Amino acid sequence: MRQRFDVIVVGGGIVGCAIAYYLTGLRASVAVLERGEVGGEASGAAAGMLIAPPWAAPASPFGDLCRSSLHLYPSLVERVQAVTGIDVQFVTTGLLVPAETEGAAAALRQATQWRGGPMPDMEWVEGEALRALEPELSPRLFGAAYSSRQHHVNPGLMTQALARAAEARGATLFPGTSVERYVRRRQRVVAVRTTEGTMAADHLVLAAGPWTGRLARPLGVRVPVRPVRGQMLAYRERRVRNIVGGTGGYLVPKPGGFLFAGATVEDVGFRRRTTRRGIAWLRSMAGSLVPSLRYAEVASTWAGLRPGSPDDMPILGRLPGWTNVYVATGHFRNGVLLAPVTGKVMAELIVRGKTDAALAPFRVERFRPMKAG
């Protein structure tokens, strides 16, 4: 087993695997340490929508990050599928954001007409035009904002494709491998002691989702990331053609005839399990949007722990006080969308010492205090 690498990435989710993929593209030797299975946590539990959230305003640092990542997706998908043979189910579809009240309809109609707003590529539809797009939507809806070209992937398969493509370029994957302690020399971590032995590296990246804070604590730095549970379910029948985003929830038609419904947002610590209340809420949400789903058969239910931050934006960059330790976490509900740009800018920062992306708004230093307590 190789014992020295240019970079050790701790975390085998979609963000960690994207970082490994882009690092190997810059000819770095990389080890990916994952305490469980690659893509076995939130990356494999998400719906895979590649849609920027409403607060990703145009010309904002976060909005720019989202759009840059979305721009990277088509060519990235093409490359990793060609190398690995894994179909990541990159699908182009429509998006409907329905209005369930008159107030919501007025706000959405205005948002679609404001070219500088969060919905510059969407139009307002109602009545027969809405029924033509989605015949099974509830007749009680007042209309919807509509975009004809949005995308989603299978996030578990995308994670596997990134991991295997990185491996094909020389990365080494270590599933079932946990970090036990760091070997330090002044302001550097020179090696990591793991359950599979000690590995030396020139750089270390902590990209372990909500567990990143625990990994940073021994280095004396507080990374304020927390687990946010999201419960989901899948119906056996696809009752909608487009992604439908309702009040706090969404429906995503998936290849194979399934329809995903998600997702709860729960601060319950590291308890990754479904609950009766959570699944009941999902069924109620889905039934309010599409009445025929009220009695539809549920194929499966599951939950994942997303990495949340105090401002719901990612935490990216070098760890304060350390010259060769980096952090990439806090993506919350946008980890699948932001994985490509995160991988690209982190790889550039590590190998070249700089990146064109404006990372200052996402540095961990924006939170105080910085020292772990």
Side-chain angles (χ1 to χ4, degrees):
M1 181 181 72
R2 183 173 183 164
Q3 299 296 325
R4 170 166 281 282
F5 300 87
D6 293 330
V7 187
I8 292 175
V9 179
V10 183
I14 194 167
V15 168
C17 290
I19 294 170
Y21 175 78
Y22 280 96
L23 281 168
T24 55
L26 296 178
R27 301 187 181 282
S29 61
V30 182
V32 179
L33 312 184
E34 167 54 50
R35 66 186 184 91
E37 298 178 358
V38 171
E41 294 291 346
S43 297
M49 292 184 294
L50 306 181
I51 300 170
W55 62 87
S60 70
F62 184 57
D64 291 344
L65 204 67
C66 291
R67 279 177 286 279
S68 295
S69 203
L70 184 57
H71 179 74
L72 290 169
Y73 248 105
S75 59
L76 176 61
V77 165
E78 185 177 353
R79 291 197 302 271
V80 298
Q81 288 188 155
V83 170
T84 66
I86 298 173
D87 179 4
V88 304
Q89 299 175 359
F90 181 74
V91 176
T92 301
T93 184
L95 166 67
L96 285 162
V97 182
E100 300 182 66
T101 66
E102 289 185 359
L108 281 172
R109 189 183 293 108
Q110 183 179 24
T112 60
Q113 295 170 353
W114 179 28
R115 294 301 92 185
M119 296 181 173
D121 301 321
M122 303 189 80
E123 61 178 312
W124 176 256
V125 292
E126 60 185 18
E128 290 303 314
L130 178 58
R131 304 293 165 243
L133 287 169
E134 283 295 349
E136 299 237 10
L137 280 182
S138 171
R140 296 184 179 181
L141 297 175
F142 289 83
Y146 173 64
S147 170
S148 62
R149 287 189 61 81
Q150 299 294 335
H151 313 279
H152 59 90
V153 296
N154 181 310
L157 293 176
M158 187 68 196
T159 305
Q160 293 297 326
L162 284 166
R164 301 308 164 194
E167 197 172 31
R169 298 204 293 201
T172 306
L173 308 180
F174 293 93
T177 303
S178 298
V179 172
E180 294 187 330
R181 59 174 295 191
Y182 305 112
V183 181
R184 317 173 199 189
R185 188 173 299 156
R186 297 184 179 88
Q187 280 74 49
R188 296 178 60 84
V189 171
V190 297
V192 178
R193 292 184 180 173
T194 78
T195 50
E196 297 298 318
T198 299
M199 303 177 195
D202 295 326
H203 304 275
L204 173 67
V205 183
L206 306 180
W211 291 271
T212 304
R214 292 181 177 180
L215 290 165
R217 195 173 299 136
L219 300 175
V221 181
R222 176 178 171 265
V223 177
V225 62
R226 72 190 191 283
V228 182
R229 186 170 69 190
Q231 299 185 53
M232 294 187 63
L233 63 81
Y235 293 102
R236 288 195 182 278
E237 299 180 42
R238 285 175 53 168
R239 302 290 179 95
V240 299
R241 307 165 182 171
N242 304 276
I243 298 171
V244 180
T247 304
Y250 51 79
L251 303 173
V252 185
K254 286 291 185 178
F258 291 94
L259 179 67
F260 285 10
T264 63
V265 179
E266 304 169 85
D267 282 304
V268 293
F270 286 91
R271 288 180 287 176
R272 192 191 71 170
R273 63 181 180 86
T274 59
T275 64
R276 288 184 179 179
R277 177 178 293 182
I279 299 305
W281 181 86
L282 290 171
R283 296 204 64 162
S284 175
M285 178 275 299
S288 69
L289 294 172
V290 179
S292 62
L293 287 175
R294 289 172 181 160
Y295 305 104
E297 180 183 1
V298 173
S300 60
T301 62
W302 65 93
L305 299 176
R306 316 177 192 92
S309 71
D311 58 8
D312 294 337
M313 292 199 300
I315 303 171
L316 307 171
R318 189 168 57 84
L319 205 63
W322 298 91
T323 61
N324 71 331
V325 183
Y326 303 81
V327 63
T329 187
H331 294 76
F332 189 36
R333 305 179 82 167
N334 304 297
V336 179
L337 169 63
L338 292 174
V341 75
T342 299
K344 182 176 183 291
V345 300
M346 293 302 294
E348 292 171 345
L349 187 63
I350 293 165
V351 175
R352 298 173 178 166
K354 62 181 181 178
T355 179
D356 292 335
L359 291 186
F362 309 110
R363 295 175 64 184
V364 71
E365 288 94 328
R366 71 187 189 269
F367 305 112
R368 301 289 177 177
M370 292 314 311
K371 293 197 173 186

